[in-house]
PDB file of all heavy atoms in Angstrom:
ATOM      1  N   PRO A 134      29.060  27.888 -55.384  1.00  0.00           N
ATOM      2  CA  PRO A 134      28.286  26.995 -54.525  1.00  0.00           C
ATOM      3  C   PRO A 134      26.952  27.624 -54.096  1.00  0.00           C
ATOM      4  O   PRO A 134      26.900  28.766 -53.679  1.00  0.00           O
ATOM      5  CB  PRO A 134      29.193  26.799 -53.296  1.00  0.00           C
ATOM      6  CG  PRO A 134      30.560  27.196 -53.730  1.00  0.00           C
ATOM      7  CD  PRO A 134      30.339  28.275 -54.744  1.00  0.00           C
ATOM      8  N   MET A 135      25.899  26.825 -54.196  1.00  0.00           N
ATOM      9  CA  MET A 135      24.558  27.211 -53.767  1.00  0.00           C
ATOM     10  C   MET A 135      23.921  26.010 -53.086  1.00  0.00           C
ATOM     11  O   MET A 135      24.248  24.861 -53.391  1.00  0.00           O
ATOM     12  CB  MET A 135      23.699  27.625 -54.963  1.00  0.00           C
ATOM     13  CG  MET A 135      24.178  28.874 -55.688  1.00  0.00           C
ATOM     14  SD  MET A 135      23.694  30.395 -54.852  1.00  0.00           S
ATOM     15  CE  MET A 135      21.973  30.504 -55.357  1.00  0.00           C
ATOM     16  N   GLY A 136      22.977  26.295 -52.178  1.00  0.00           N
ATOM     17  CA  GLY A 136      22.247  25.229 -51.532  1.00  0.00           C
ATOM     18  C   GLY A 136      20.920  24.991 -52.225  1.00  0.00           C
ATOM     19  O   GLY A 136      20.712  25.378 -53.378  1.00  0.00           O
ATOM     20  N   PHE A 137      20.019  24.365 -51.512  1.00  0.00           N
ATOM     21  CA  PHE A 137      18.679  24.143 -52.058  1.00  0.00           C
ATOM     22  C   PHE A 137      17.920  25.461 -52.147  1.00  0.00           C
ATOM     23  O   PHE A 137      17.272  25.754 -53.146  1.00  0.00           O
ATOM     24  CB  PHE A 137      17.901  23.166 -51.157  1.00  0.00           C
ATOM     25  CG  PHE A 137      18.485  21.785 -51.109  1.00  0.00           C
ATOM     26  CD1 PHE A 137      19.377  21.419 -50.122  1.00  0.00           C
ATOM     27  CD2 PHE A 137      18.135  20.844 -52.077  1.00  0.00           C
ATOM     28  CE1 PHE A 137      19.912  20.144 -50.083  1.00  0.00           C
ATOM     29  CE2 PHE A 137      18.669  19.575 -52.044  1.00  0.00           C
ATOM     30  CZ  PHE A 137      19.569  19.220 -51.044  1.00  0.00           C
ATOM     31  N   ILE A 138      17.994  26.261 -51.078  1.00  0.00           N
ATOM     32  CA  ILE A 138      17.285  27.536 -51.005  1.00  0.00           C
ATOM     33  C   ILE A 138      18.217  28.597 -50.441  1.00  0.00           C
ATOM     34  O   ILE A 138      19.333  28.301 -49.990  1.00  0.00           O
ATOM     35  CB  ILE A 138      16.006  27.423 -50.139  1.00  0.00           C
ATOM     36  CG1 ILE A 138      16.349  26.940 -48.715  1.00  0.00           C
ATOM     37  CG2 ILE A 138      15.000  26.505 -50.808  1.00  0.00           C
ATOM     38  CD1 ILE A 138      15.158  26.911 -47.778  1.00  0.00           C
ATOM     39  N   ASP A 139      17.735  29.831 -50.418  1.00  0.00           N
ATOM     40  CA  ASP A 139      18.582  30.964 -50.049  1.00  0.00           C
ATOM     41  C   ASP A 139      19.018  30.943 -48.593  1.00  0.00           C
ATOM     42  O   ASP A 139      20.030  31.539 -48.251  1.00  0.00           O
ATOM     43  CB  ASP A 139      17.824  32.270 -50.337  1.00  0.00           C
ATOM     44  CG  ASP A 139      18.751  33.479 -50.376  1.00  0.00           C
ATOM     45  OD1 ASP A 139      19.672  33.477 -51.203  1.00  0.00           O
ATOM     46  OD2 ASP A 139      18.549  34.401 -49.566  1.00  0.00           O
ATOM     47  N   THR A 140      18.276  30.266 -47.728  1.00  0.00           N
ATOM     48  CA  THR A 140      18.676  30.207 -46.323  1.00  0.00           C
ATOM     49  C   THR A 140      19.732  29.138 -46.066  1.00  0.00           C
ATOM     50  O   THR A 140      20.252  29.043 -44.955  1.00  0.00           O
ATOM     51  CB  THR A 140      17.460  29.952 -45.417  1.00  0.00           C
ATOM     52  OG1 THR A 140      16.744  28.807 -45.894  1.00  0.00           O
ATOM     53  CG2 THR A 140      16.536  31.160 -45.406  1.00  0.00           C
ATOM     54  N   ASP A 141      20.066  28.324 -47.081  1.00  0.00           N
ATOM     55  CA  ASP A 141      21.217  27.426 -46.976  1.00  0.00           C
ATOM     56  C   ASP A 141      22.492  28.235 -47.194  1.00  0.00           C
ATOM     57  O   ASP A 141      22.464  29.348 -47.720  1.00  0.00           O
ATOM     58  CB  ASP A 141      21.133  26.319 -48.038  1.00  0.00           C
ATOM     59  CG  ASP A 141      19.990  25.356 -47.797  1.00  0.00           C
ATOM     60  OD1 ASP A 141      19.606  25.169 -46.621  1.00  0.00           O
ATOM     61  OD2 ASP A 141      19.475  24.793 -48.786  1.00  0.00           O
ATOM     62  N   ARG A 142      23.616  27.644 -46.831  1.00  0.00           N
ATOM     63  CA  ARG A 142      24.892  28.333 -47.058  1.00  0.00           C
ATOM     64  C   ARG A 142      25.164  28.432 -48.555  1.00  0.00           C
ATOM     65  O   ARG A 142      24.932  27.482 -49.307  1.00  0.00           O
ATOM     66  CB  ARG A 142      26.027  27.571 -46.356  1.00  0.00           C
ATOM     67  CG  ARG A 142      25.899  27.577 -44.837  1.00  0.00           C
ATOM     68  CD  ARG A 142      27.052  26.839 -44.191  1.00  0.00           C
ATOM     69  NE  ARG A 142      27.058  25.438 -44.553  1.00  0.00           N
ATOM     70  CZ  ARG A 142      26.394  24.504 -43.892  1.00  0.00           C
ATOM     71  NH1 ARG A 142      25.629  24.817 -42.855  1.00  0.00           N
ATOM     72  NH2 ARG A 142      26.468  23.245 -44.280  1.00  0.00           N
ATOM     73  N   GLU A 143      25.671  29.582 -48.976  1.00  0.00           N
ATOM     74  CA  GLU A 143      25.950  29.787 -50.386  1.00  0.00           C
ATOM     75  C   GLU A 143      27.210  30.621 -50.565  1.00  0.00           C
ATOM     76  O   GLU A 143      27.595  31.395 -49.697  1.00  0.00           O
ATOM     77  CB  GLU A 143      24.755  30.464 -51.077  1.00  0.00           C
ATOM     78  CG  GLU A 143      24.293  31.748 -50.411  1.00  0.00           C
ATOM     79  CD  GLU A 143      22.937  32.230 -50.923  1.00  0.00           C
ATOM     80  OE1 GLU A 143      22.291  31.497 -51.699  1.00  0.00           O
ATOM     81  OE2 GLU A 143      22.526  33.322 -50.537  1.00  0.00           O
ATOM     82  N   GLY A 144      27.860  30.429 -51.706  1.00  0.00           N
ATOM     83  CA  GLY A 144      29.055  31.180 -52.021  1.00  0.00           C
ATOM     84  C   GLY A 144      30.328  30.489 -51.564  1.00  0.00           C
ATOM     85  O   GLY A 144      30.341  29.746 -50.581  1.00  0.00           O
ATOM     86  N   MET A 145      31.407  30.758 -52.284  1.00  0.00           N
ATOM     87  CA  MET A 145      32.734  30.251 -51.957  1.00  0.00           C
ATOM     88  C   MET A 145      33.563  31.393 -51.393  1.00  0.00           C
ATOM     89  O   MET A 145      33.601  32.485 -51.959  1.00  0.00           O
ATOM     90  CB  MET A 145      33.408  29.690 -53.214  1.00  0.00           C
ATOM     91  CG  MET A 145      34.786  29.082 -52.983  1.00  0.00           C
ATOM     92  SD  MET A 145      35.470  28.414 -54.530  1.00  0.00           S
ATOM     93  CE  MET A 145      34.368  27.024 -54.822  1.00  0.00           C
ATOM     94  N   LEU A 146      34.205  31.165 -50.273  1.00  0.00           N
ATOM     95  CA  LEU A 146      35.035  32.193 -49.658  1.00  0.00           C
ATOM     96  C   LEU A 146      36.197  32.551 -50.586  1.00  0.00           C
ATOM     97  O   LEU A 146      36.954  31.674 -51.016  1.00  0.00           O
ATOM     98  CB  LEU A 146      35.566  31.690 -48.318  1.00  0.00           C
ATOM     99  CG  LEU A 146      36.310  32.708 -47.450  1.00  0.00           C
ATOM    100  CD1 LEU A 146      35.372  33.808 -46.956  1.00  0.00           C
ATOM    101  CD2 LEU A 146      36.960  32.009 -46.244  1.00  0.00           C
ATOM    102  N   VAL A 147      36.320  33.848 -50.918  1.00  0.00           N
ATOM    103  CA  VAL A 147      37.419  34.314 -51.767  1.00  0.00           C
ATOM    104  C   VAL A 147      38.275  35.361 -51.058  1.00  0.00           C
ATOM    105  O   VAL A 147      39.384  35.663 -51.501  1.00  0.00           O
ATOM    106  CB  VAL A 147      36.902  34.877 -53.114  1.00  0.00           C
ATOM    107  CG1 VAL A 147      36.258  33.769 -53.943  1.00  0.00           C
ATOM    108  CG2 VAL A 147      35.922  36.024 -52.906  1.00  0.00           C
ATOM    109  N   GLU A 148      37.774  35.922 -49.966  1.00  0.00           N
ATOM    110  CA  GLU A 148      38.541  36.852 -49.134  1.00  0.00           C
ATOM    111  C   GLU A 148      38.160  36.621 -47.675  1.00  0.00           C
ATOM    112  O   GLU A 148      37.001  36.348 -47.372  1.00  0.00           O
ATOM    113  CB  GLU A 148      38.226  38.316 -49.494  1.00  0.00           C
ATOM    114  CG  GLU A 148      38.661  38.746 -50.871  1.00  0.00           C
ATOM    115  CD  GLU A 148      38.223  40.173 -51.188  1.00  0.00           C
ATOM    116  OE1 GLU A 148      37.756  40.883 -50.262  1.00  0.00           O
ATOM    117  OE2 GLU A 148      38.331  40.568 -52.364  1.00  0.00           O
ATOM    118  N   GLY A 149      39.156  36.715 -46.786  1.00  0.00           N
ATOM    119  CA  GLY A 149      38.885  36.566 -45.366  1.00  0.00           C
ATOM    120  C   GLY A 149      39.161  35.169 -44.844  1.00  0.00           C
ATOM    121  O   GLY A 149      38.502  34.702 -43.913  1.00  0.00           O
ATOM    122  N   PHE A 150      40.178  34.516 -45.412  1.00  0.00           N
ATOM    123  CA  PHE A 150      40.491  33.155 -44.995  1.00  0.00           C
ATOM    124  C   PHE A 150      41.026  33.088 -43.564  1.00  0.00           C
ATOM    125  O   PHE A 150      41.018  32.029 -42.948  1.00  0.00           O
ATOM    126  CB  PHE A 150      41.515  32.540 -45.955  1.00  0.00           C
ATOM    127  CG  PHE A 150      41.051  32.497 -47.384  1.00  0.00           C
ATOM    128  CD1 PHE A 150      41.537  33.408 -48.317  1.00  0.00           C
ATOM    129  CD2 PHE A 150      40.125  31.557 -47.795  1.00  0.00           C
ATOM    130  CE1 PHE A 150      41.108  33.377 -49.634  1.00  0.00           C
ATOM    131  CE2 PHE A 150      39.684  31.516 -49.108  1.00  0.00           C
ATOM    132  CZ  PHE A 150      40.177  32.427 -50.027  1.00  0.00           C
ATOM    133  N   ASP A 151      41.485  34.232 -43.041  1.00  0.00           N
ATOM    134  CA  ASP A 151      42.032  34.259 -41.680  1.00  0.00           C
ATOM    135  C   ASP A 151      41.001  34.727 -40.661  1.00  0.00           C
ATOM    136  O   ASP A 151      41.337  34.992 -39.504  1.00  0.00           O
ATOM    137  CB  ASP A 151      43.256  35.174 -41.622  1.00  0.00           C
ATOM    138  CG  ASP A 151      42.943  36.616 -42.018  1.00  0.00           C
ATOM    139  OD1 ASP A 151      41.871  36.855 -42.621  1.00  0.00           O
ATOM    140  OD2 ASP A 151      43.765  37.511 -41.728  1.00  0.00           O
ATOM    141  N   GLN A 152      39.736  34.817 -41.076  1.00  0.00           N
ATOM    142  CA  GLN A 152      38.674  35.277 -40.192  1.00  0.00           C
ATOM    143  C   GLN A 152      37.818  34.105 -39.729  1.00  0.00           C
ATOM    144  O   GLN A 152      37.497  33.208 -40.518  1.00  0.00           O
ATOM    145  CB  GLN A 152      37.785  36.300 -40.916  1.00  0.00           C
ATOM    146  CG  GLN A 152      38.524  37.544 -41.379  1.00  0.00           C
ATOM    147  CD  GLN A 152      39.067  38.358 -40.219  1.00  0.00           C
ATOM    148  OE1 GLN A 152      38.333  38.706 -39.296  1.00  0.00           O
ATOM    149  NE2 GLN A 152      40.349  38.663 -40.269  1.00  0.00           N
ATOM    150  N   LEU A 153      37.432  34.117 -38.453  1.00  0.00           N
ATOM    151  CA  LEU A 153      36.564  33.080 -37.922  1.00  0.00           C
ATOM    152  C   LEU A 153      35.228  33.078 -38.653  1.00  0.00           C
ATOM    153  O   LEU A 153      34.600  34.126 -38.795  1.00  0.00           O
ATOM    154  CB  LEU A 153      36.340  33.304 -36.428  1.00  0.00           C
ATOM    155  CG  LEU A 153      35.393  32.334 -35.719  1.00  0.00           C
ATOM    156  CD1 LEU A 153      35.968  30.923 -35.718  1.00  0.00           C
ATOM    157  CD2 LEU A 153      35.116  32.802 -34.290  1.00  0.00           C
ATOM    158  N   ALA A 154      34.809  31.915 -39.112  1.00  0.00           N
ATOM    159  CA  ALA A 154      33.531  31.795 -39.816  1.00  0.00           C
ATOM    160  C   ALA A 154      32.380  31.769 -38.813  1.00  0.00           C
ATOM    161  O   ALA A 154      32.577  31.797 -37.598  1.00  0.00           O
ATOM    162  CB  ALA A 154      33.524  30.522 -40.666  1.00  0.00           C
ATOM    163  N   THR A 155      31.163  31.723 -39.320  1.00  0.00           N
ATOM    164  CA  THR A 155      29.980  31.512 -38.495  1.00  0.00           C
ATOM    165  C   THR A 155      29.337  30.206 -38.942  1.00  0.00           C
ATOM    166  O   THR A 155      29.696  29.639 -39.980  1.00  0.00           O
ATOM    167  CB  THR A 155      28.958  32.662 -38.625  1.00  0.00           C
ATOM    168  OG1 THR A 155      28.273  32.532 -39.878  1.00  0.00           O
ATOM    169  CG2 THR A 155      29.644  34.016 -38.547  1.00  0.00           C
ATOM    170  N   MET A 156      28.358  29.736 -38.182  1.00  0.00           N
ATOM    171  CA  MET A 156      27.696  28.481 -38.534  1.00  0.00           C
ATOM    172  C   MET A 156      26.756  28.640 -39.722  1.00  0.00           C
ATOM    173  O   MET A 156      26.211  27.650 -40.215  1.00  0.00           O
ATOM    174  CB  MET A 156      26.930  27.931 -37.330  1.00  0.00           C
ATOM    175  CG  MET A 156      25.724  28.737 -36.897  1.00  0.00           C
ATOM    176  SD  MET A 156      24.886  28.029 -35.451  1.00  0.00           S
ATOM    177  CE  MET A 156      24.229  26.503 -36.140  1.00  0.00           C
ATOM    178  N   TYR A 157      26.585  29.869 -40.218  1.00  0.00           N
ATOM    179  CA  TYR A 157      25.623  30.124 -41.276  1.00  0.00           C
ATOM    180  C   TYR A 157      26.284  30.330 -42.637  1.00  0.00           C
ATOM    181  O   TYR A 157      25.583  30.583 -43.621  1.00  0.00           O
ATOM    182  CB  TYR A 157      24.787  31.363 -40.933  1.00  0.00           C
ATOM    183  CG  TYR A 157      24.241  31.333 -39.522  1.00  0.00           C
ATOM    184  CD1 TYR A 157      24.768  32.153 -38.534  1.00  0.00           C
ATOM    185  CD2 TYR A 157      23.227  30.445 -39.168  1.00  0.00           C
ATOM    186  CE1 TYR A 157      24.291  32.118 -37.227  1.00  0.00           C
ATOM    187  CE2 TYR A 157      22.748  30.397 -37.869  1.00  0.00           C
ATOM    188  CZ  TYR A 157      23.281  31.237 -36.901  1.00  0.00           C
ATOM    189  OH  TYR A 157      22.814  31.184 -35.608  1.00  0.00           O
TER     190      TYR A 157
END
Side-chain angles (χ1 to χ4, degrees):
M135 295 280 282
F137 295 94
I138 58 175
D139 197 59
T140 52
D141 292 331
R142 294 181 296 272
E143 53 193 7
M145 182 179 292
L146 188 67
V147 295
E148 294 176 10
F150 301 104
D151 60 344
Q152 299 296 307
L153 177 65
T155 76
M156 68 181 293
Y157 312 107

